[in-house]
Amino acid sequence: MEFRVKQENNFEYVEEGEGQVILLLHGLFGALSNFRDVLSYFSKHYKVVIPIMPIYKMPMIKATVGELSNFIHRFMEFKQYQQVNVLGNSLGGHVALIYTLQHSSRVSSMILTGSSGLYESSMGGTFPKRNNYEFIKEKVEFTFYSPGTASKELVDEVFGIVNDRTRAMKIIAMAKSAIRHNLRKEITKINVPSCLIWGYNDQITPPEAAEEFNDLLPNSELHFIDKCGHAPMMERPDEFNQILEQFLSKVLIHSGDQL
């Protein structure tokens, strides 16, 4: 599925389908391609939206997860979305948590997969060495249970990011912000229906993180996908979409809406 990126009012985003909004938030090294299968599957019955978060365009002083949440709120206001089902992977999950804490009335449900916010071992514990393609390839492969999921396109993209000094500095600043902005004491306040879809073999945000999220979020359900790493929607898209579809159906029925 090809992505048709819209550019309006300094926002870049993908918007496909009609119906209730599923807002997809990518991670620190994330790209539109991370959500290709989610977009293709759910745009048949939902309006699926992927805003490109301005991680590399923000001033260094504003390179924080809190500012990304503010960006999402401005985007929501611009698009006049009254309510969304927000889905975040990795850092995108962290942003989803902060946004939901600040604007719970705008969130119908929250879906987290490999989310930071409690614990993470970013890129396997070390920032990739610049100009070392094989090292970066190994670290990207570390993201997945099956190394073959790390396509050359994905490795090339990460290699390009870490070898751009400005973008690399923004990545480091954002990663440090995520570590500082721990949400353990706050997320018990989130009462929206929440679904945790986790790779059982996630080495970046391990299963213990998912279990702690499930313990702390009062209205949550947890699903593990076996033989799967940090990005289930990429590595095991069929299982991921099935779990998500069942969860959203329950949310719709509870809210009185129907497909």
Side-chain angles (χ1 to χ4, degrees), residues 2-15 22-35 39 48-58 67-76 78-79 81 87 91-92 95 157 161 167 171 174:
E2 292 298 320
F3 294 100
R4 293 179 291 182
V5 179
K6 299 180 181 180
Q7 296 184 342
E8 296 179 306
N9 201 40
N10 295 320
F11 295 109
E12 295 180 271
Y13 62 98
V14 171
E15 183 182 57
I22 304 176
L23 186 71
L24 307 179
L25 305 182
H26 61 76
L28 193 57
F29 287 91
L32 294 175
S33 60
N34 295 177
F35 292 116
L39 179 67
V48 183
V49 183
I50 317 173
I52 299 175
M53 292 195 285
I55 294 172
Y56 311 122
K57 296 180 179 179
M58 305 172 82
E67 284 296 328
L68 287 178
S69 175
N70 293 338
F71 167 82
I72 294 302
H73 183 61
R74 292 194 297 272
F75 177 71
M76 286 272 293
F78 168 68
K79 291 298 295 178
Y81 298 144
L87 187 162
L91 184 80
V95 175
E157 186 167 355
I161 290 169
R167 290 199 291 175
I171 288 285
M174 195 65 71

Side-chain angles (χ1 to χ4, degrees), residues 150-165:
S151 65
K152 185 178 184 302
E153 177 186 9
L154 185 60
V155 176
D156 288 348
E157 186 167 355
V158 175
F159 183 77
I161 290 169
V162 300
N163 281 283
D164 180 303
R165 185 173 180 275

Side-chain angles (χ1 to χ4, degrees), residues 175-192:
K176 288 181 177 178
S177 167
I179 292 169
R180 289 194 305 269
H181 204 141
N182 188 285
L183 298 171
R184 186 169 281 104
K185 295 180 180 179
E186 300 177 65
I187 61 175
T188 55
K189 302 172 186 175
I190 296 176
N191 288 307
V192 303

Side-chain angles (χ1 to χ4, degrees), residues 16 103-104 234:
E16 299 286 349
H103 308 283
S104 61
M234 296 176 67

Side-chain angles (χ1 to χ4, degrees), residues 109-111 190-196 217 219-222 247:
S109 70
M110 180 179 67
I111 303 94
I190 296 176
N191 288 307
V192 303
S194 301
C195 184
L196 311 170
L217 288 164
N219 191 10
S220 65
E221 57 183 63
L222 171 59
F247 171 72

